[in-house]
Amino acid sequence: MDIEIVRSRFLKHFDGQPGSVYASPGRINLIGEHTDYNGGFVFPGAIDKGMVAEIRLNGTDKVRAYSIDLKDYVEFGLNEEDAPRASWARYIFGVCREMIKRGAKLGGFNTAFAGDVPLGAGMSSSAALESTYAYALNDLFNCGIDKFELALIGQATEHNYVGVNCGIMDQFASLFGKEGSLMLLDCRSLEHKYYPFNPKGYKLVLLDTVVKHELASSAYNKRRQSCETAAAAIRKNHPEVEFLRDATMDMLNEVKAEITAEDYMRAEYVIGEVQRVMDVCAALEKGDYETVGARMYETHDGMSRLYEVSCEELDFLNDLAKKNGVTGSRVMGGGFGGCTINLVKDELYDAFIADAKEAYKAAYGRLPKVYDVVISDGARKLV
Ligand code: GLA
């Protein structure tokens, strides 16, 4: 994350006076995909890529925002009817509105921002943007909102101003990330526990298919809807089932005839995934990375076959990982494109990356992008 670029653009755009600089990261997720909005567990960590924003209060009631990467400037007010049209600006506007709804007294500010989280790659560039502004505005306007609520503000921004009914994982990881540690997060209670993650003899590497699917947000919302339908059907027999996280396969089978085959498959995946996160926790405590890897492959299989959020290119990279003896590999994040996350033994790393590049290029005419994972701190003030 390059603070010098942000600073120089900020000074150039806004009367030469510096502001304060804040940063928030993107995230990886070891396991626990599409479990967050089902009240389940996830296992994310913040990464060394994210968003950096410089901000200076301007004493007006207007926000003047410049996206350095898109070279786009937008000005907007802070009332509901002032929503900007530019989609990138809606994230900032949404964060402001959600803070105001919670009683924050915000005023106008000048801001410029840039990021190095690849967009649409499943590393949560949007949560990084939301968390940067939620954290920064809370600090600059002395709102006294805690980090849990800041994460909920980011999530509500997605729901109410972006149209994605996401869970809490991405915003939480971006705000609560800790260098060198992954976190086990209970998405119902928001209880979390850090797990130092330094698997001796293994590396975590992301392979980006560079595929982005246009309809990802409506398909994502549809998955969530299926889960809620299945949970509601189960709840009729088992009132204690608040989310699919509380359900078992036996409970799901009781309502098989009442729900669609599609909703059944979605729920089957989620029930399996909630258990896999638990298995991975137990395995990590014993240093058993073979089990961690085996569960990752099972997750990929479920996301591809039952949840249907993979794509040909992701399946291709997953198969390639298997052929190369990679310990664990799966599609990461919401899916429909983006990255695989791979747990690979040090001695296999070079051959795997070389083979992935060559085979992917031969099949799809372009190279996958390769990102080594560096687990880093969450939202913070830089200057
Ligand atoms: C996206 C969402 C998250 C989560 C993942 C899938 O990243 O923003 O809330 O649902 O997909 O695990």
Side-chain angles (χ1 to χ4, degrees):
M1 289 185 265
D2 195 343
I3 150 164
E4 291 315 316
I5 292 184
V6 175
R7 168 126 297 171
S8 70
R9 299 293 191 284
F10 183 84
L11 293 176
K12 191 169 152 218
H13 254 283
F14 302 108
D15 64 25
Q17 288 188 313
S20 304
V21 184
Y22 295 83
S24 257
R27 60 109 191 88
I28 55 140
N29 185 26
L30 184 64
I31 199 152
E33 224 62 88
H34 292 275
T35 45
D36 57 355
Y37 53 80
N38 286 298
F41 296 91
V42 292
F43 219 118
I47 53 174
D48 61 338
K49 298 178 187 0
M51 292 287 172
V52 175
E54 182 148 359
I55 305 176
R56 188 182 165 88
L57 308 194
N58 62 23
T60 73
D61 57 0
K62 292 276 180 298
V63 176
R64 302 183 182 121
Y66 181 62
S67 163
I68 296 167
D69 299 327
L70 300 173
K71 296 190 178 57
D72 194 18
Y73 175 81
V74 167
E75 202 172 304
F76 55 83
L78 290 166
N79 297 314
E80 198 60 36
E81 62 274 18
D82 298 328
R85 240 181 279 144
S87 59
W88 63 266
R90 292 181 74 86
Y91 290 97
I92 304 175
F93 176 77
V95 167
C96 293
R97 286 300 308 158
E98 290 298 333
M99 291 179 78
I100 291 167
K101 286 180 202 168
R102 287 162 177 78
K105 303 256 177 298
L106 302 187
F109 54 91
N110 299 342
T111 184
F113 73 96
D116 60 0
V117 204
L119 302 182
M123 287 180 236
S124 296
S125 50
S126 57
L129 185 58
E130 291 145 12
S131 301
T132 302
Y133 281 93
Y135 186 91
L137 298 176
N138 185 44
D139 190 42
L140 289 166
F141 288 99
N142 292 315
C143 305
I145 301 174
D146 69 24
K147 282 209 280 181
F148 292 94
E149 196 63 31
L150 293 180
L152 294 168
I153 284 169
Q155 184 193 25
T157 298
E158 295 276 351
H159 291 187
N160 300 328
Y161 297 92
V162 182
V164 178
N165 295 328
C166 66
I168 194 66
M169 167 168 72
D170 304 350
Q171 293 78 9
F172 196 94
S174 185
L175 282 155
F176 285 85
K178 183 165 153 181
E179 191 181 335
S181 287
L182 298 178
M183 60 186 102
L184 173 66
L185 169 65
D186 178 332
C187 297
R188 169 154 50 201
S189 65
L190 298 189
E191 267 173 55
H192 57 294
K193 184 177 163 199
Y194 292 102
Y195 281 69
F197 189 75
N198 183 20
K200 291 250 154 6
Y202 295 85
K203 286 191 200 335
L204 266 187
V205 60
L206 308 180
L207 289 183
D208 186 356
T209 58
V210 208
V211 173
K212 296 175 179 77
H213 284 254
E214 293 284 314
L215 294 170
S217 60
S218 59
Y220 180 97
N221 292 348
K222 206 165 161 230
R223 298 299 180 285
R224 182 171 184 161
Q225 191 54 55
S226 286
C227 293
E228 286 169 4
T229 305
I234 295 172
R235 200 176 306 124
K236 284 191 206 139
N237 304 334
H238 303 275
E240 72 281 11
V241 174
E242 187 190 0
F243 293 108
L244 278 184
R245 173 243 177 106
D246 306 312
T248 61
M249 277 309 292
D250 285 344
M251 294 178 185
L252 177 63
N253 284 327
E254 288 168 9
V255 297
K256 192 167 185 176
E258 293 162 38
I259 59 177
T260 65
E262 188 175 288
D263 291 350
Y264 179 89
M265 285 192 330
R266 307 300 189 236
E268 182 185 353
Y269 161 77
V270 171
I271 292 170
E273 184 71 353
V274 169
Q275 184 56 45
R276 282 188 287 274
V277 185
M278 296 294 97
D279 294 352
V280 161
C281 278
L284 278 181
E285 281 172 8
K286 289 186 280 180
D288 172 7
Y289 295 105
E290 294 306 310
T291 298
V292 174
R295 293 296 171 275
M296 290 169 75
Y297 278 115
E298 286 167 24
T299 295
H300 186 89
D301 182 60
M303 285 177 82
S304 181
R305 225 171 21 84
L306 299 173
Y307 221 61
E308 297 181 296
V309 294
S310 186
C311 63
E312 192 192 314
E313 292 86 345
L314 285 164
D315 290 345
F316 181 88
L317 287 179
N318 186 256
D319 285 342
L320 211 75
K322 233 177 260 166
K323 264 187 231 140
N324 276 274
V326 170
T327 307
S329 175
R330 64 178 196 80
V331 40
M332 189 183 76
F336 312 105
C339 291
T340 58
I341 178 168
N342 303 274
L343 179 67
V344 52
K345 287 206 174 101
D346 286 341
E347 63 269 25
L348 297 178
Y349 178 88
D350 288 341
F352 170 51
I353 299 299
D355 190 32
K357 283 184 175 167
E358 197 186 311
Y360 195 79
K361 177 107 200 272
Y364 299 107
R366 58 169 182 256
L367 288 171
K369 292 197 175 138
V370 180
Y371 301 105
D372 288 316
V373 172
V374 180
I375 302 170
S376 306
D377 282 329
R380 60 205 179 272
K381 183 174 183 181
L382 298 179
V383 184

